[in-house]
Amino acid sequence: MSQIGATGRRGDAPPGESGALDQTNKPSVREAAAPALAAVGVSKHFGVVRALDDVTLAVRSGEILALVGENGAGKSTLVRIFEGVYRPDQGALTAGGAPQAFRSPSDAHALGIRVIHQEPDIVPDLSIAENLFLGDFRRIHGVFLDRADLARRTRQMLAEFGLEKDLGPWIRAGDLGPAQRQLMEIMRALRGGLRVLALDEPTSSLTEEEAQRLFRVVRRLRDDGVGIVYISHRMREVRDLADRVAVLRDGRLVAERRTAEFPESEIVQAMVGRPIADLYERGARRRGEAVLSVRGLTTKRVRDVSFDVHSGEVVGLAGLVGAGRSELAEAIFGHDRMLAGSVAVRGRTIRLRSPADAIAAGIGFAPEDRKSQALLLMRSVKDNISLAVPDLISRFDFVDPGAERRIATEFADRLRIRTPSLDAAVSNLSGGNQQKVVLGRWLARRPKVLILDEPTRGIDVGAKAEIYRLIAELAGEGIALLVISSEMPELLGMADRILVMAGGRLVAELDREAANEERILSLAMAENLTRTETVRTP
Amino acid sequence: MTHLKAEPIAAAADRLRRRTTLRGAIQRIGTHNFSLLIALSVLIAIFGSLRPDVFFLLRNILNIGQAIAILGILATAQTIVIISGGLDISVGAVVGVSTVGIALAVGWTGSPILSILFGVVVGAAAGIINGLVITVGRINAVIATLGTMAVFRGVAFIISNGQSISIFDPAFRFIGDGKILGVPVTISVLVVVVAIFFVLMQYTITGRNIYAIGGNPVVARLAGLNVRAYQIGIYMLSGATAGLAGMLLAARTGSGQPISGSEGLELEAITAAVLGGCALTGGKGTIIGGLLGVLIIGVLDNGLILTSVPTFYQMVAKGVLLIAAVIIAEQQARRYG
């Protein structure tokens, strides 16, 4: 058949088990002395924000370099410069010793530099095979797609990753789980010969088992001579996997050592830049009566959750991504429909039909995604602060501009919102100041309960400290706070009590003294595994 | 922190700049509205120089006003719908239904006031249906109102038996052709409606909330707004306004017509609103912009007739000039934006 002829002619393309990986060996051996990829004195600004400041960092072939740092430290910016998405303002890149000026990701890809992002970039309605070989389809008679060849090449790839039993080439990519998508991205990266692979928090939505499989793949790639840049927040992964650890803080490279010589406590201290205790100042707090009482709350994603939050108390909500924490918050706030259970504020059960009911009962909610759920980006700081207090700024529905400005000014001052003016569009503000605008909106309502979902996500360290201080201050004023966070040190530092969720259930409640990172993680993860197992056998 | 102290000064400087410079003046009007004014001036200059004898006569200016009155109230209502993130394609059909309803009601009751009220109520009811289909049925507004447009047209044909129904009541002749203190009634209606819409969108919490809902409905809901109620209310307003437009159309033509006179009004209204600076994605636009959009269309129509451009060519010229106007407006907006 002509199909065979077509593929036979191209039989020299990398077909074998490790053919794709072997390719990468040659350059790394030839240029053993020069790093596979290096940033030399790289700086990058976004407006007034300095994302990277004179960073010099090299990735060698055949090593795993962990890149750690808090959110906003510049890790993702650096990776995007590696990939040619951003161009450095100052400094340069070298690949294999030769200076490079990438104009676009395709320039970086041509040199075998690939980045696997948190949200893998796939075409959901195409098959695995089509996604893997998009742009490299072989044809019969120069016209027809050679499906047999495509299937064979895909099966080879899948076999290489030990996935041949689970997946076939024609499965729709959109039906894959996050772990499988990630592996698919890596396979696609291998296609063109891989020299440097950067992974941006690859395990954030993986189960333990899936993560272990990913680690095996990563180690094998390293052994085949690929330089790996591994970004993660999870200390244990970093210690298990990395040969070297580089720490970024506020856009600067503050430490770089071999993992064996870099104890965890020192890594964390380098990340934070100060002893952790100072970051989470806790004023005097007096725990009062129960303000928020949740009983048997059940939704599609949350099962039978009961707990209280007392006035003057910060309760942390821990769990892995997908454990149902945000869903719980949304249900308490009336945004998601409750199937069973009740929510009460100061003993009075709320009839929750929409967020308006929760707000009327004295609850405020800063959702996880500020830009899509909390802020009107085109509108001003003033409009965004006053959005939830129409009654305070109007008479007979007519806006009282004076009253509105007074309220906006009061909370902008109190929260130290840094903005050119109250009339500036909120999209111009930094992440930290945007979050303060959201907090200002709720504080203007003088809430009894505040629910904060990932309040410090994407915020630089300085602004984080301000948010922590603010949370402590609000607790001191007697507000009951429920804070969701995926950053363990943050939760441990802020919270008086920590609730752990897994698989939609509340699996544990830990006192501040009893809580530590390992314990929370094992509670969150153990349950997560059983959940995925049950999900997989329908 | 010096930065914090500097803020009030920056704000004051900002305010001062707004008051004193041309750029400040433009900012106050809105850059888009400013470019619309330029486009309008250019059109007036062109037609004024081609036909200086007629164009600037009071009679001609009032002519323009009367010609755009119906489109004007529809386009400003459409502006509100688009700001809220929706679209109402059924307005032309609602105008048709309400003219027929008004004509029939004149026959039943003999009372022009009751008949007009009936027309507005019919329009509002049609609007509520739109709102319910969109919010409860969770259907895209374009699809929903495209469907109800056909339904409302059909209803207009059914209740009128496909016939034009004449109205002989003198009150309607007064609305169509009469004047109050020298100003045609139709223009007065337009001015009152636009003024109400302007105040609503500019100075009230309701108006703000409409912008918020159009900007991002999730944010609006999480800030405690009843998004559905607003949406139903907005479509009801659009329908009631179409009922009022039906009154003007019935008065102008002296009849209830299932299709003639109201066909295609929805597209013209949407065109004017978009020309006026509405973003079809919602959250952006102004009533004044919508009105300026209508004025541009009105001056264009009038000028093309005065300069004796043959009808078929008028259509081509209109389309070309509209596109040119938008391009100019966009460039101005970019320069001053």
Side-chain angles (χ1 to χ4, degrees):
Chain A
M1 273 165 69
S2 55
Q3 284 164 329
I4 295 166
T7 52
R9 190 163 42 79
R10 301 216 186 191
D12 51 346
E17 163 92 353
S18 57
L21 305 182
D22 278 345
Q23 278 202 333
T24 59
N25 258 333
K26 291 169 196 160
S28 67
V29 170
R30 183 158 38 91
E31 296 148 10
L37 183 65
V40 183
V42 164
S43 296
K44 179 76 189 170
H45 295 251
F46 295 104
V48 294
V49 180
R50 187 191 296 152
L52 285 178
D53 186 6
D54 194 20
V55 170
T56 299
L57 183 64
V59 191
R60 292 192 270 271
S61 299
E63 75 160 353
I64 299 175
L65 171 68
L67 195 53
V68 300
E70 299 212 308
N71 286 340
K75 296 166 295 182
S76 296
T77 307
L78 184 58
V79 167
R80 291 202 176 100
I81 286 176
F82 281 161
E83 202 194 8
V85 176
Y86 297 149
R87 270 186 265 180
D89 296 336
Q90 281 154 31
L93 292 183
T94 66
Q100 301 292 340
F102 299 143
R103 279 181 220 192
S104 72
S106 55
D107 290 349
H109 295 171
L111 287 173
I113 298 163
R114 293 272 177 171
V115 176
I116 309 298
H117 295 282
Q118 286 176 49
E119 294 297 325
D121 185 15
I122 59 154
V123 188
D125 283 320
L126 291 186
S127 65
I128 293 177
E130 287 162 319
N131 265 288
L132 280 183
F133 292 98
L134 205 58
D136 183 28
F137 293 149
R138 291 172 194 168
R139 293 174 201 180
I140 307 166
H141 303 315
V143 182
F144 302 107
L145 175 68
D146 190 341
R147 280 174 66 92
D149 166 71
L150 191 56
R152 198 180 52 247
R153 286 196 286 164
T154 306
R155 284 204 193 89
Q156 275 166 4
M157 274 282 190
L158 292 172
E160 209 169 304
F161 284 81
L163 290 168
E164 72 278 14
K165 285 189 213 89
D166 300 338
L167 299 176
W170 305 115
I171 290 176
R172 192 173 157 272
D175 294 336
L176 299 177
Q180 293 164 331
R181 289 184 194 200
Q182 232 158 30
L183 292 176
M184 219 178 75
E185 275 276 286
I186 296 176
M187 290 180 210
R188 195 153 66 175
L190 281 175
R191 225 180 58 193
L194 187 63
R195 284 215 252 183
V196 176
L197 181 70
L199 300 112
D200 193 352
E201 300 208 34
T203 54
S204 59
S205 48
L206 302 192
T207 65
E208 185 63 26
E209 191 190 335
E210 290 167 336
Q212 288 304 334
R213 174 181 281 169
L214 178 75
F215 297 158
R216 281 198 295 275
V217 169
V218 169
R219 286 199 184 97
R220 229 180 73 207
L221 288 171
R222 171 193 55 195
D223 297 343
D224 282 321
V226 178
I228 309 269
V229 180
Y230 189 87
I231 296 181
S232 179
H233 274 135
R234 301 186 179 176
M235 249 348 117
R236 201 189 306 164
E237 287 176 4
V238 168
R239 298 207 58 83
D240 283 358
L241 208 55
D243 303 307
R244 268 192 315 144
V245 179
V247 184
L248 284 176
R249 185 176 76 230
D250 296 340
R252 290 165 179 273
L253 183 72
V254 292
E256 184 193 348
R257 270 192 255 169
R258 299 198 57 77
T259 316
E261 300 153 8
F262 208 167
E264 185 169 331
S265 59
E266 287 180 33
I267 296 178
V268 172
Q269 189 152 340
M271 282 165 63
V272 178
R274 67 201 102 174
I276 305 171
D278 296 359
L279 202 56
Y280 310 103
E281 264 178 67
R282 301 157 61 85
R285 278 184 209 175
R286 241 190 39 234
R287 184 175 133 140
E289 55 179 5
V291 178
L292 176 71
S293 306
V294 175
R295 294 286 175 273
L297 191 148
T298 301
T299 72
K300 274 184 194 163
R301 308 277 298 277
V302 177
R303 275 177 253 167
D304 194 21
V305 169
S306 302
F307 65 93
D308 286 324
V309 184
H310 295 252
S311 87
E313 183 186 36
V314 179
V315 172
L317 193 50
L320 300 182
V321 171
R325 296 171 300 164
S326 296
E327 290 79 1
L328 173 63
E330 286 177 359
I332 294 171
F333 197 60
H335 187 49
D336 197 9
R337 210 164 56 147
M338 247 194 286
L339 299 173
S342 70
V343 175
V345 172
R346 287 196 200 265
R348 291 182 59 169
T349 302
I350 322 171
R351 250 201 91 196
L352 271 178
R353 287 152 304 188
S354 76
D357 297 321
I359 293 167
I363 304 178
F365 174 47
E368 185 177 5
D369 189 343
R370 283 188 296 279
K371 288 183 179 172
S372 77
Q373 295 183 298
L375 292 169
L376 297 167
L377 292 170
M378 290 192 283
R379 313 285 296 178
S380 68
V381 171
K382 170 174 67 71
D383 288 3
N384 272 286
I385 291 178
S386 65
L387 186 63
V389 287
D391 40 324
L392 298 183
I393 58 158
S394 68
R395 209 176 282 175
F396 306 115
D397 203 47
F398 281 86
V399 178
D400 175 349
E404 186 185 27
R405 197 161 284 276
R406 265 196 305 282
I407 286 185
T409 309
E410 181 188 337
F411 289 95
D413 283 353
R414 178 169 170 200
L415 300 178
R416 275 167 283 201
I417 296 172
R418 276 179 285 275
T419 171
S421 89
L422 289 176
D423 299 305
V426 80
S427 57
N428 295 332
L429 271 55
S430 70
N433 283 299
Q434 289 183 344
Q435 186 64 282
K436 290 191 216 163
V437 169
V438 178
L439 290 175
R441 173 188 301 164
W442 295 117
L443 294 186
R445 289 204 62 89
R446 318 224 171 267
K448 302 186 184 87
V449 180
L450 261 182
I451 305 173
L452 311 178
D453 193 352
E454 303 284 3
T456 64
R457 173 165 293 177
I459 289 181
D460 64 75
V461 183
K464 272 186 187 178
E466 281 190 76
I467 300 276
Y468 299 146
R469 196 169 340 120
L470 195 66
I471 287 173
E473 202 178 301
L474 296 174
E477 289 170 22
I479 295 177
L481 288 117
L482 179 64
V483 182
I484 298 174
S485 174
S486 296
E487 289 181 42
M488 220 57 93
E490 171 177 302
L491 271 188
L492 291 166
M494 285 192 290
D496 299 306
R497 263 189 307 147
I498 292 179
L499 307 175
V500 184
M501 278 188 83
R505 289 177 195 282
L506 203 60
V507 292
E509 180 185 332
L510 303 169
D511 270 335
R512 180 179 169 73
E513 289 73 27
N516 61 52
E517 203 158 326
E518 281 72 35
R519 204 157 160 205
I520 294 173
L521 211 60
S522 66
L523 283 163
M525 230 140 59
E527 203 64 19
N528 191 278
L529 278 178
T530 57
R531 178 183 66 94
T532 47
E533 270 161 28
T534 52
V535 166
R536 273 190 187 160
T537 49
Chain B
M1 296 243 257
T2 50
H3 190 81
L4 293 175
K5 278 188 183 160
E7 268 162 36
I9 300 169
D14 192 39
R15 225 174 299 127
L16 203 65
R17 201 168 59 235
R18 277 168 172 243
R19 252 188 236 142
T20 48
T21 62
L22 172 69
R23 206 193 174 93
I26 294 167
Q27 271 181 7
R28 286 178 75 84
I29 309 171
T31 46
H32 190 90
N33 288 349
F34 180 72
S35 15
L36 288 176
L37 276 174
I38 290 178
L40 188 60
S41 313
V42 169
L43 282 181
I44 290 172
I46 291 173
F47 293 123
S49 62
L50 288 175
R51 293 298 305 272
D53 49 330
V54 197
F55 188 79
F56 292 113
L57 291 180
L58 179 65
R59 183 164 49 82
N60 188 52
I61 291 168
L62 292 181
N63 257 344
I64 295 176
Q66 282 210 304
I68 63 167
I70 292 174
L71 180 59
I73 65 174
L74 290 178
T76 42
Q78 190 72 247
T79 299
I80 297 177
V81 177
I82 295 176
I83 289 171
S84 82
L87 199 68
D88 188 352
I89 300 183
S90 73
V91 284
V94 177
V95 171
V97 171
S98 80
T99 63
V100 173
I102 288 169
L104 290 172
V106 171
W108 301 328
T109 64
S111 156
I113 292 178
L114 283 180
S115 309
I116 290 166
L117 209 60
F118 180 69
V120 173
V121 168
V122 167
I128 291 174
I129 293 172
N130 281 333
L132 288 175
V133 171
I134 290 163
T135 57
V136 179
R138 289 168 189 271
I139 296 177
N140 174 285
V142 176
I143 307 297
T145 55
L146 209 54
T148 56
M149 173 174 85
V151 172
F152 297 149
R153 276 277 179 241
V155 169
F157 278 111
I158 293 166
I159 58 176
S160 66
N161 243 332
Q163 305 289 313
S164 153
I165 304 162
S166 297
I167 301 172
F168 298 108
D169 194 294
F172 282 89
R173 187 162 309 150
F174 175 69
I175 293 171
D177 292 326
K179 290 180 181 177
I180 302 170
L181 302 174
V183 180
V185 178
T186 48
I187 296 180
S188 313
V189 172
L190 171 67
V191 170
V192 170
V193 169
V194 170
I196 291 172
F197 287 171
F198 175 75
V199 170
L200 174 77
M201 295 306 284
Q202 204 71 25
Y203 297 113
T204 69
I205 294 287
T206 307
R208 290 254 184 121
N209 288 349
I210 291 172
Y211 277 102
I213 287 167
N216 186 330
V218 176
V219 172
R221 183 174 146 85
L222 287 176
L225 303 187
N226 189 339
V227 175
R228 273 191 182 190
Y230 268 93
Q231 283 172 336
I232 293 171
I234 288 161
Y235 285 98
M236 185 181 86
L237 181 75
S238 173
T241 311
L244 207 61
M247 169 194 85
L248 294 183
L249 184 63
R252 296 282 293 162
T253 60
S255 63
Q257 302 266 6
I259 188 156
S260 158
S262 59
E263 199 178 19
L265 278 176
E266 62 280 343
L267 284 184
E268 285 195 52
I270 294 167
T271 306
V274 172
L275 186 61
C278 282
L280 285 176
T281 44
K284 194 165 162 268
T286 57
I287 296 296
I288 296 298
L291 183 66
L292 287 171
V294 173
L295 281 173
I296 287 174
I297 293 177
V299 168
L300 198 54
D301 274 338
N302 176 265
L304 290 172
I305 293 167
L306 291 185
T307 48
S308 321
V309 175
T311 319
F312 298 158
Y313 291 91
Q314 274 182 32
M315 293 166 89
V316 176
K318 201 169 144 185
V320 170
L321 279 175
L322 277 178
I323 293 169
V326 174
I327 291 173
I328 292 169
E330 283 305 314
Q331 280 176 349
Q332 292 293 335
R334 242 171 268 146
R335 184 177 307 164
Y336 290 100

